[in-house]
């Protein structure tokens, strides 16, 4: 078509739009305005729907375009949800009455804006946010809900609760989509029959119609969704189709949980996201139990928030307002049942292990949380050697299992340590931060490695979470594991010696914050929750000028690193720069330690692979096969790249074809559990796999 013909067609289309909707507004749209990207998203989605030949066949003249469009929207489920009116708290959640936090939130969050709910762990913040969302939906002030969480595991758990909630409020039995990088591996979901990694041409095939919202860039368009915060963040970073995600979230209630858990890079992106969503008439509800005043202010784009020592607390800025408001928490005598103080003590690993065994033998549940996968595996192995057969259960949970095995472990332990399960015998679960937040676990005894104060307080949220008739201890107890070298001995040491004393956890958390945390906790015998949450956070993160030389150097490093991460996050939102694939984690997380995906198999030949879970696949055939893709990815684990290769690239003939995103390779697990990568030379580390411990990375010379 010639240029002048295109112009004629454009003018005809503009005329059609004005005839249908009235004159277009005479306004100039700034280059980075919310309206511009909303319009770009609307145009793209309309083009996708209009290009669907099932509803708009190329070779037929459509007599009633409006009717055809409505049919298309009905078919793909893109019409506004119909919400049941006048449901009360019991109808929504099955509880007799809301508590004072929930009633306060319901009274305060009535119009779009940004709101932060700060309240102790286990006080019903999720129900508070969903109750507010129901009100906004039923009053026509919102178009849907997206619940954003820090991890895929927490998304999976909240998805179950959200699905039940939506089934209660929706006249249409609305489907709640689970949206994250591995959600397509969940067998219960309806998935498309084409590759999630396919190009646009493939996605136009009839097979994708199985579920129009399954495409990763379309998933957020579904009215109701639960997933990782990364999926929403892909709407503000320089990722392809970022404007479609912004359009998808416009007007919705966006609930962002556990906002304290993100590092400075991702946290900065969350701050930017909140303010962009505010421009799109969203209601953003941020949930946290351990938020500092500065962090709260950053969410609103302020230098500081309203100074108050109140806790719990609801802070908000309604759409159109400049100033922040602090909303009162209603009083209720029924809520003022004092919780027992948590006893705190430091102990060596051997002493803590003896106490864990004692509690488990008495029928209690123990949650043992480590800061790294390696330390969790080591502690699990140590505890397993102490285990007395049949008297109690012991397990391990972390991120370095293949998908199928991790799901088995998560399902078992989330039930085993859940609200209702008590099997008459005790248990010990050793885990990493995957159980730290957004999971409803209830332990009698908590044992934890040292971590920043906000993380330790989050871990306490899994301790004595529910009322029970029997507990093997007279009061909740937190045991913090001592370092191999006593921290009291290194207060005047060099930064290098301090980092060495902390070991691998110094790669996870800022050593300076670990020192400040140890200083706050070392002399405490007990903690009163929630009264001491805010004072302890202030004490940990308050600025000061009288640090020892080594501490001061670590503080400078911490501040400098955080500043650099903040600048990098802001640069990542430059959408006029190069656009990257909209893959979860590509630009939404700062990965300072590159990883490789390895596909675990018992046998790999040029023709076939027998995967770790027993599935057999044929290699090298033509076309894309969803069952094969799911089988391969269910046996895939991400490991540090340095664990496989110190330099150079992975061997090309070891690549698992087109079914795994990013750098990946086949890996063969022999009968002894040793992992070998075909074509890879000798490395300085050995990889080993068992169903109990997952993938272990062992340096040469270590046992």
């Amino acid at each position: 078509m010639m240029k002048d013909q295109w112009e004629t067609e454009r003018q005809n289309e503009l005329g059609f739009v004005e005839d249908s909707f009235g004159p277009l507004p005479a306004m100039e749209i700034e280059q980075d305005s919310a309206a511009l990207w909303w319009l770009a998203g609307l145009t793209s989605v309309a083009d996708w729907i209009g290009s669907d030949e099932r509803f708009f066949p190329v070779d037929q003249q459509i007599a009633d375009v409006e009717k055809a469009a409505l049919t298309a929207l009905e078919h793909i489920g893109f019409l506004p949800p119909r919400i049941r009116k006048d449901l009360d708290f019991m109808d929504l959640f099955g509880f007799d009455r809301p508590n004072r936090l929930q009633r306060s939130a319901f009274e305060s969050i009535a119009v779009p804006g940004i709101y932060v709910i700060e309240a102790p762990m286990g006080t019903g913040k999720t129900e508070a946010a969903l109750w507010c969302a129901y009100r906004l939906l039923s009053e026509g002030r919102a178009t849907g809900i997206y619940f954003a969480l820090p991890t895929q595991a927490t998304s999976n758990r909240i998805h179950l609760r959200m699905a039940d909630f939506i089934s209660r409020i929706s006249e249409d039995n609305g489907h709640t989509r689970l949206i994250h990088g591995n959600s397509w591996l969940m067998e219960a979901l309806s998935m498309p029959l084409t590759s999630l990694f396919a190009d646009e041409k493939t996605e136009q095939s009839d097979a994708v119609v199985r579920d129009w919202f399954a495409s990763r860039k379309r998933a957020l368009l579904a009215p109701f969704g639960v997933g990782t915060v990364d999926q929403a963040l892909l709407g503000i970073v320089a990722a392809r189709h970022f404007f479609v995600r912004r359009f998808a979230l416009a007007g919705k209630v966006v609930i962002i949980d556990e906002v304290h858990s993100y590092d400075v890079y991702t946290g900065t992106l969350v701050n930017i996201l909140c303010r962009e969503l505010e421009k799109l008439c969203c209601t953003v509800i941020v949930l946290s139990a351990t938020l500092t005043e500065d962090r709260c202010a950053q969410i609103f784009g302020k230098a500081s928030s309203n100074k108050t020592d109140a806790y719990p607390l609801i802070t908000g800025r309604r759409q159109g307002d400049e100033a922040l408001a602090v909303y009162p928490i209603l009083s209720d005598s029924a809520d003022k049942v004092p919780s027992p103080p948590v006893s705190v003590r430091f102990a060596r690993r051997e002493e803590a292990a003896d106490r864990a065994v004692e509690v488990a033998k008495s029928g209690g549940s123990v949650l043992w949380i480590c800061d790294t996968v390696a330390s969790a595996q080591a502690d699990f192995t140590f505890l397993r050697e102490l285990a007395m057969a049949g008297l109690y259960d012991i397990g391990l949970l972390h991120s370095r299992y293949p998908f199928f095995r991790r799901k088995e472990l998560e399902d078992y332990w989330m039930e085993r340590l859940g609200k209702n399960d008590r099997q008459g015998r005790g248990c010990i679960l050793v885990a990493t931060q995957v159980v730290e937040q957004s999971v409803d676990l209830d332990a009698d005894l908590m044992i934890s490695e040292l971590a920043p104060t906000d993380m330790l307080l989050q871990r306490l949220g899994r301790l004595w979470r529910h009322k029970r008739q029997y507990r093997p201890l007279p009061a909740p107890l937190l045991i913090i594991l001592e370092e191999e070298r006593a921290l009291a001995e290194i207060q005047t040491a060099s930064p290098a010696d301090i980092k060495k004393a902390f070991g691998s956890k110094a790669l996870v958390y800022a050593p300076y914050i670990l020192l400040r945390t140890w200083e706050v906790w070392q002399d405490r015998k007990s903690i009163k929750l929630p009264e001491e949450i805010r004072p302890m956070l202030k004490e940990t993160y308050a600025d000061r000028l009288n640090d020892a030389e080594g501490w001061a150097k670590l503080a400078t490093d911490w501040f400098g690193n955080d500043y650099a991460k903040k600048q990098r996050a802001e640069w990542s939102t430059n959408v006029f720069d190069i656009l990257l694939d909209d893959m979860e984690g590509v630009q939404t997380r700062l990965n300072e330690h590159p990883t490789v995906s390895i596909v675990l198999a018992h046998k790999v030949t040029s023709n076939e692979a027998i995967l770790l879970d027993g599935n057999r696949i044929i290699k090298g055939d033509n076309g894309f096969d969803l069952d094969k893709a799911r089988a391969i990815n269910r046996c895939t684990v991400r490991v540090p790249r340095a664990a496989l290769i110190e330099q150079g690239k992975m061997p090309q003939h070891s690549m698992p074809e087109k079914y795994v995103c990013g750098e990946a390779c086949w890996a063969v697990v022999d009968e002894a559990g040793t992992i070998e990568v075909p074509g890879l030379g000798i490395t300085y580390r050995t990889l080993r796999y068992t169903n109990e411990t997952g993938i272990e990375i062992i340096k040469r010379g270590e046992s």
Side-chain angles (χ1 to χ4, degrees):
M1 185 178 291
M2 302 298 292
K3 183 177 180 181
D4 56 342
Q5 291 177 301
W6 272 118
E7 183 61 28
T8 300
E9 287 297 320
R10 290 177 67 247
Q11 293 301 324
N12 289 340
E13 291 303 318
L14 283 173
F16 175 77
V17 170
E18 290 191 327
D19 290 343
S20 302
F21 301 103
L24 297 176
M27 58 181 291
E28 291 187 8
I29 299 179
E30 296 181 3
Q31 191 179 48
D32 61 347
S33 72
L36 172 64
W37 299 126
W38 181 88
L39 180 60
L42 169 64
T43 305
S44 295
V45 173
D47 179 59
W48 289 337
I49 298 173
S51 300
D52 193 326
E53 295 184 16
R54 295 171 305 147
F55 310 109
F56 305 98
V58 175
D59 56 350
Q60 294 182 23
Q61 184 70 29
I62 299 175
D64 191 337
V65 176
E66 184 174 342
K67 182 178 179 181
L70 184 61
T71 300
L73 294 176
E74 288 176 336
H75 184 85
I76 64 178
F78 203 45
L79 293 177
R82 295 186 301 155
I83 304 300
R84 295 189 177 101
K85 306 291 185 179
D86 303 319
L87 300 179
D88 59 22
F89 199 77
M90 170 64 82
D91 296 326
L92 298 178
F93 306 109
F95 303 154
D96 289 337
R97 61 191 298 272
N99 61 31
R100 67 191 185 112
L101 169 71
Q102 292 158 345
R103 290 190 294 111
S104 302
F106 187 76
E107 293 294 326
S108 306
I109 304 174
V111 297
I114 303 177
Y115 304 87
V116 177
I117 301 178
E118 300 173 68
M121 302 71 68
T123 52
K125 294 188 292 295
T126 296
E127 286 78 11
L130 290 176
W131 193 21
C132 295
Y134 167 71
R135 174 181 182 174
L136 290 158
L137 283 165
S138 64
E139 294 178 355
R141 297 178 184 269
T143 59
I145 304 173
Y146 183 65
F147 206 125
L149 294 116
T151 66
Q152 294 181 7
T154 53
S155 302
N156 296 342
R157 308 310 299 183
I158 293 295
H159 176 251
L160 301 176
R161 295 165 66 181
M162 176 83 160
D164 178 64
F165 170 76
I166 296 302
S167 70
R168 294 171 183 246
I169 71 170
S170 174
E171 293 277 7
D172 311 299
N173 274 327
H175 177 64
T176 303
R177 175 151 303 286
L178 180 62
I179 309 171
H180 59 62
N182 280 327
S183 60
W184 69 290
L185 299 179
M186 311 289 281
E187 293 177 348
L189 298 177
S190 172
M191 285 289 108
L193 297 181
T194 60
S195 170
L196 295 183
F197 320 115
D199 59 22
E200 288 301 310
K201 293 180 180 179
T202 305
E203 289 194 309
Q204 295 303 321
S205 68
D206 286 342
V208 141
V209 176
R210 253 316 206 15
D211 188 339
W212 196 83
F213 296 117
S215 166
R216 61 172 174 259
K217 61 179 173 289
R218 294 176 182 166
L220 283 177
L221 291 165
F224 305 113
V226 176
T228 55
V229 72
D230 308 76
Q231 296 293 325
L233 293 178
L234 285 168
I236 61 163
V237 298
R240 300 185 191 280
H241 297 102
F242 69 91
F243 43 86
V244 172
R245 293 174 184 270
R246 288 199 200 183
F247 171 74
L249 293 172
K252 288 182 178 176
V253 178
V254 180
I255 304 168
I256 305 177
D257 200 5
E258 312 293 4
V259 74
H260 57 270
S261 66
Y262 305 112
D263 66 4
V264 172
Y265 178 84
T266 303
T268 300
L269 293 179
V270 169
N271 301 339
I272 297 170
L273 172 68
C274 289
R275 299 194 290 274
E276 288 300 319
L277 293 177
E278 185 180 21
K279 299 173 187 176
L280 294 169
C281 300
C282 290
T283 305
V284 183
I285 304 177
V286 177
L287 309 178
S288 179
T290 54
L291 208 60
T292 64
E293 287 183 1
D294 288 344
R295 184 69 189 87
C296 181
Q298 291 164 8
I299 292 170
F300 295 97
K302 298 285 186 179
S304 62
S305 60
N306 295 330
K307 299 295 183 181
T308 177
D309 290 328
Y311 187 87
L313 179 66
I314 300 175
T315 309
R317 179 173 64 208
R318 294 179 175 177
Q319 189 178 42
D321 292 347
E322 290 291 332
L324 302 185
V326 175
Y327 301 100
I329 302 296
L330 304 176
S331 61
D332 191 336
S333 58
D335 288 336
K336 296 181 180 178
V337 178
S339 57
V342 178
S343 298
V344 179
R345 56 179 296 193
F346 282 77
R348 307 291 288 181
R349 269 179 170 74
E350 294 77 7
E351 182 184 351
D354 290 341
R355 194 63 187 275
V357 170
E358 177 187 338
V359 169
K361 286 169 59 179
S362 301
S365 57
V366 181
L367 191 54
W368 183 301
I369 303 182
C370 298
D371 297 331
T372 66
V373 173
S375 61
Q377 290 170 328
D379 288 351
F380 168 75
T381 302
F382 175 65
L383 287 163
R384 186 173 54 179
E385 292 172 355
L386 300 178
M388 305 181 71
L391 292 183
Y392 57 89
D393 299 330
I394 181 168
L396 176 64
L397 186 59
H398 55 72
S399 61
R400 212 170 286 161
Y401 291 96
F403 180 87
F404 80 91
R405 179 59 178 158
R406 179 169 172 176
K407 186 175 186 304
E408 291 173 353
L409 292 169
E410 283 179 358
D411 289 347
Y412 175 80
W413 285 104
M414 296 302 166
E415 185 69 25
R416 186 73 171 83
L417 290 174
K419 182 176 182 179
N420 301 317
D421 193 288
R422 278 295 184 268
Q423 299 183 1
R425 61 178 182 177
C427 63
I428 302 174
L429 174 61
V430 182
T432 56
Q433 296 91 331
V434 296
V435 300
E436 190 171 80
Q437 52 208 359
S438 293
V439 290
D440 190 12
L441 302 182
D442 179 22
D444 297 305
L445 168 66
M446 171 80 65
I447 298 172
S448 173
E449 289 191 322
L450 183 67
T453 292
D454 38 344
M455 300 297 105
L456 287 177
L457 292 171
Q458 282 294 328
R459 295 175 188 185
L460 285 182
R462 311 319 117 189
L463 186 60
W464 284 42
R465 190 176 178 90
H466 301 294
K467 293 181 180 179
R468 300 196 185 280
Q469 292 184 340
Y470 171 73
R471 299 277 188 185
L473 296 171
L477 172 62
L478 167 67
I479 296 177
I480 301 175
L481 298 174
E482 293 180 351
E483 304 303 316
E484 292 298 324
R485 183 178 175 187
L487 295 182
E489 300 175 2
I490 63 168
Q491 294 195 65
T492 58
S494 68
D497 284 342
I498 293 173
K499 291 179 182 178
K500 186 176 180 181
F502 281 126
S504 59
K505 65 171 60 66
L507 301 175
V508 180
Y509 303 116
Y512 179 70
I513 298 302
L514 290 175
L515 284 171
R516 293 286 297 269
T517 297
W518 167 76
E519 190 178 52
V520 169
W521 290 73
Q522 62 168 329
D523 294 326
R524 288 184 178 268
K525 303 301 180 186
S526 65
I527 296 176
K528 185 71 173 175
L529 299 176
E531 294 87 338
E532 294 191 80
I533 289 179
R534 177 146 292 178
M536 292 181 72
L537 289 171
K538 284 186 175 181
E539 191 176 354
T540 302
Y541 289 98
D543 293 334
R544 67 184 188 189
L545 302 175
N546 60 343
D547 283 325
E549 183 179 352
W551 289 42
K553 178 61 169 64
L554 291 173
T556 301
D557 292 345
W558 168 59
F559 178 81
N561 288 336
D562 279 2
Y563 180 78
K565 291 176 181 178
K566 181 176 181 293
Q567 294 295 108
R568 186 167 177 179
E570 291 175 348
W571 176 83
S572 296
T573 64
N574 180 10
V575 295
F576 295 101
D577 208 326
I578 185 170
L579 297 181
L580 302 178
D581 287 340
D582 56 345
M583 300 294 295
E584 184 169 294
V586 170
Q587 295 188 86
T588 57
R589 307 280 174 148
L590 188 58
N591 186 2
E592 298 176 294
H593 305 283
T595 58
V596 173
S597 294
I598 59 175
V599 183
L600 300 179
H602 292 299
K603 179 182 178 181
V604 177
T605 69
S606 59
N607 299 320
E608 68 174 9
I610 300 176
L611 300 172
L612 190 66
D613 62 357
N615 278 314
R616 176 178 174 270
I617 64 167
I618 304 299
K619 296 175 61 181
D621 58 333
N622 296 324
F624 183 89
D625 186 291
L626 177 66
D627 291 335
K628 181 189 291 188
R630 180 178 281 128
I632 289 175
N633 280 271
R634 282 173 60 86
C635 292
T636 299
V637 187
R638 297 197 71 83
V639 299
R641 194 178 192 277
L644 287 179
I645 186 170
E646 280 70 34
Q647 58 187 354
K649 298 181 179 180
M650 302 300 300
Q652 290 299 313
H653 65 273
S654 181
M655 293 292 193
E657 304 171 61
K658 55 194 172 186
Y659 292 111
V660 182
C661 293
E663 194 172 37
C665 59
W666 292 103
V668 179
V669 183
D670 66 20
E671 293 183 358
T674 302
I675 298 173
E676 292 187 3
V677 176
L680 189 66
I682 297 175
T683 68
Y684 297 111
R685 297 168 179 83
T686 298
L687 269 61
R688 181 175 177 273
Y689 175 83
T690 69
N691 274 332
E692 291 73 31
T693 60
I695 291 182
E696 297 178 79
I697 301 173
I698 306 167
K699 292 182 180 179
R700 290 296 168 92
E702 293 181 345
S703 60

